């Protein structure tokens, strides 16, 4: 029983059977089978191209995600540096105002003290 199953499997694998749709074994249906095989080959080509495009798209998306994370990090660093610079400039402005006020007070004292001393004596 097992031997007949093996022989029925081996017999279809003879060279004439393995020729595929182009072999003479198919007769008048040869054109239809060849046409269907061509369509299957085209579909396989299209699917391979689609898979390649999807992989490339995934790679581009990964690159884009890396760039967006980098940009976000740079934006955060820029914001922090801008706050720090704003504080520095505010303190510099305060110091400048203090120096101007001190110079003004000293000038007023230099002008007013001799006048007061002149009128006192």
């Amino acid at each position: 029983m097992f031997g007949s199953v093996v022989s029925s499997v081996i017999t279809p694998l003879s060279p004439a059977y393995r020729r595929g749709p182009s072999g003479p074994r198919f007769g008048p249906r040869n054109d239809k089978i060849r046409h269907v095989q061509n369509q299957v080959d085209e579909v396989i080509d299209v699917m391979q191209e689609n898979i390649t495009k999807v992989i490339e798209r995934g790679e581009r998306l990964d690159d884009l995600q890396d760039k967006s994370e980098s940009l976000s990090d740079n934006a955060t660093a820029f914001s922090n540096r801008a706050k720090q610079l704003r504080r520095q400039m505010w303190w510099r402005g305060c110091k400048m105002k203090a120096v101007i006020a001190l110079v003004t007070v000293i000038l007023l004292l230099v002008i007013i003290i001799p006048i007061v001393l002149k009128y006192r004596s």
Side-chain angles (χ1 to χ4, degrees), residues 97-111:
K97 289 176 187 176
V99 167
I100 290 174
L102 183 64
V103 168
T104 304
V105 168
I106 291 174
L107 282 176
L108 286 176
L109 287 177
V110 167
I111 294 173

Side-chain angles (χ1 to χ4, degrees), residues 43-109:
V43 169
I44 289 172
D45 290 341
V46 169
M47 291 306 295
Q48 287 174 344
E49 289 177 19
N50 289 343
I51 290 171
T52 303
K53 288 178 183 178
V54 167
I55 291 171
E56 289 172 357
R57 181 175 176 257
E59 291 171 357
R60 287 193 310 262
L61 287 175
D62 289 342
D63 291 343
L64 186 60
Q65 184 176 4
D66 292 343
K67 288 178 183 178
S68 68
E69 288 173 359
S70 174
L71 186 60
S72 176
D73 293 343
N74 288 341
T76 302
F78 176 80
S79 177
N80 291 339
R81 181 69 180 129
K83 287 177 187 176
Q84 184 181 14
L85 185 61
R86 189 179 314 123
R87 287 186 198 119
Q88 279 181 338
M89 296 308 290
W90 183 81
W91 276 111
R92 187 176 287 173
C94 287
K95 290 176 188 176
M96 186 61 73
K97 289 176 187 176
V99 167
I100 290 174
L102 183 64
V103 168
T104 304
V105 168
I106 291 174
L107 282 176
L108 286 176
L109 287 177

